[in-house]
Amino acid sequence: MLVAAAVPLGSATGVPVAFAVAFGGFQVGGAGCLALIAGCPVIPPALARTVVAVNALCAVGCVVTAFTGFVPLDGFGVVFLLIGALIVAVYTALQYTGLRRMADSGDLARPTPRGGSTGRWTRSSCVKCPAQADR
């Protein structure tokens, strides 16, 4: 939304077009990363924790941006960023709850180090679910 509507949103909120496009691009990139992670039958714990941390930082960043004057926002712009921060905070809380439940149930993937004990994940590190075992 920020990328496609940068000009009208910028005039309504006070957000500079360049900032809206850059932040919108960050969101599109984040959505792409989430799509890749979601393709893993069992989500690696490091990736799940990274998603929660990045979303939490994004929510805090929106609140800080709304109140510090870093971006010249008008009243609607402040409300727009605070609503965005609230939405991201809700998703973060849901993701954290899911991560905790997965950890408690033992459903998190276990590391399969590549080349020894590096602990790096590869796409093949993802554990196949039983429905995909014959593929």
Side-chain angles (χ1 to χ4, degrees):
M1 181 169 106
L2 283 175
V3 174
V7 173
L9 273 176
S11 63
T13 62
V15 174
V17 173
F19 182 83
V21 169
F23 190 59
F26 171 76
Q27 291 176 326
V28 170
C33 290
L34 287 175
L36 289 174
I37 293 168
C40 230
V42 178
I43 298 171
L47 292 179
R49 285 189 292 272
T50 300
V51 168
V52 171
V54 169
N55 279 339
L57 287 172
C58 187
V60 169
C62 285
V63 172
V64 168
T65 301
F67 291 118
T68 61
F70 173 70
V71 176
L73 302 172
D74 58 20
F76 180 66
V78 171
V79 171
F80 184 79
L81 273 182
L82 293 177
I83 290 171
L86 178 64
I87 291 168
V88 173
V90 168
Y91 276 115
T92 302
L94 292 171
Q95 291 163 342
Y96 179 76
T97 301
L99 178 62
R100 296 300 309 153
R101 287 183 181 170
M102 288 170 63
D104 292 345
S105 69
D107 284 343
L108 288 174
R110 300 292 179 247
T112 305
R114 177 179 57 192
S117 61
T118 62
R120 285 192 231 147
W121 287 91
T122 63
R123 184 78 177 154
S124 62
S125 300
C126 295
V127 179
K128 287 192 174 191
C129 65
Q132 296 178 334
D134 58 310
R135 293 184 195 167

